Amino acid sequence: MMAFDSLPWSAPWRLSLAGSEIAAARIEGAAGPASGTLVLRLSAAAVRRTADGVAGYLRPVELRLAQARCDGAALEELFGGIRAARVLQAGWVIDALPLPGHLDGAAAAPLVLELQLIHGTALRIEAGALTLGLAADAAAVFRESCDC
């Protein structure tokens, strides 16, 4: 069974990275990104509530990419609005990620996160796993979108 099949589709939120905003990026664990965990903290995560389909923004959300290898940007460039994004895993393109959720990569088919930031930076991150969740250091806040 593929890791894609194990996604928690009953999660309370669906995250769309496009339209979200990165507040900060950091490496946890070992000294280099290939052996540590890249943590992207979103100041505004574009989400849809699973229960009723209401769109809005949730904060603070963290993406944790284990054994991350990043091409295209330095850590200090990982901030701002996300224009376009996609997650690739074993031939699948995943546009809406369950939140909270976890997705495993594999040696033969690593998990890939591709981001195009509004300020022009494009990057590709390969990782062993992606974990999405609310940051532990603050209470979750959801605001409905005012888009008509």
Side-chain angles (χ1 to χ4, degrees), residues 1-2 5 13 17 24-26 28 51-52 62 64 73 77 86 94-95 99 103 109 116 122 134-135 147-148:
M1 181 181 276
M2 293 174 27
D5 295 332
W13 309 98
L17 288 171
R26 69 183 185 277
E28 289 183 351
D52 58 9
E62 286 187 345
R64 304 178 66 80
E77 295 178 82
R86 66 183 186 161
I94 306 168
D95 293 322
L99 179 65
L103 184 59
Q116 173 71 44
L134 296 169
D147 286 347
C148 296

Side-chain angles (χ1 to χ4, degrees), residues 59-75:
R59 67 176 171 88
V61 170
E62 286 187 345
L63 283 71
R64 304 178 66 80
L65 295 121
Q67 299 144 359
R69 293 164 305 284
C70 182
D71 293 326
L75 193 61

Side-chain angles (χ1 to χ4, degrees), residues 1-145:
M1 181 181 276
M2 293 174 27
F4 179 80
D5 295 332
S6 66
L7 282 172
W9 296 115
S10 62
W13 309 98
R14 290 272 164 263
L15 171 65
S16 172
L17 288 171
S20 296
E21 185 167 309
I22 300 172
R26 69 183 185 277
I27 301 291
E28 289 183 351
S35 53
T37 298
L38 172 62
V39 180
L40 300 177
R41 186 179 181 112
L42 303 180
S43 56
V47 297
R48 188 168 295 275
R49 260 192 320 234
T50 304
D52 58 9
V54 171
Y57 295 92
L58 183 66
R59 67 176 171 88
V61 170
E62 286 187 345
L63 283 71
R64 304 178 66 80
L65 295 121
Q67 299 144 359
R69 293 164 305 284
C70 182
D71 293 326
L75 193 61
E76 53 274 358
E77 295 178 82
L78 300 181
F79 69 92
I82 302 171
R83 175 178 291 137
R86 66 183 186 161
V87 175
L88 308 168
Q89 194 250 354
W92 292 91
V93 176
I94 306 168
D95 293 322
L97 297 161
L99 179 65
H102 180 84
L103 184 59
D104 285 318
L111 183 79
V112 176
L113 171 61
E114 295 177 341
L115 297 174
Q116 173 71 44
L117 303 181
I118 289 173
H119 58 71
T121 299
L123 63 142
R124 177 183 169 92
I125 303 167
E126 290 187 4
L130 169 62
T131 302
L132 304 100
L134 296 169
D137 63 347
V141 176
F142 174 74
R143 297 284 185 256
E144 285 188 27
S145 173

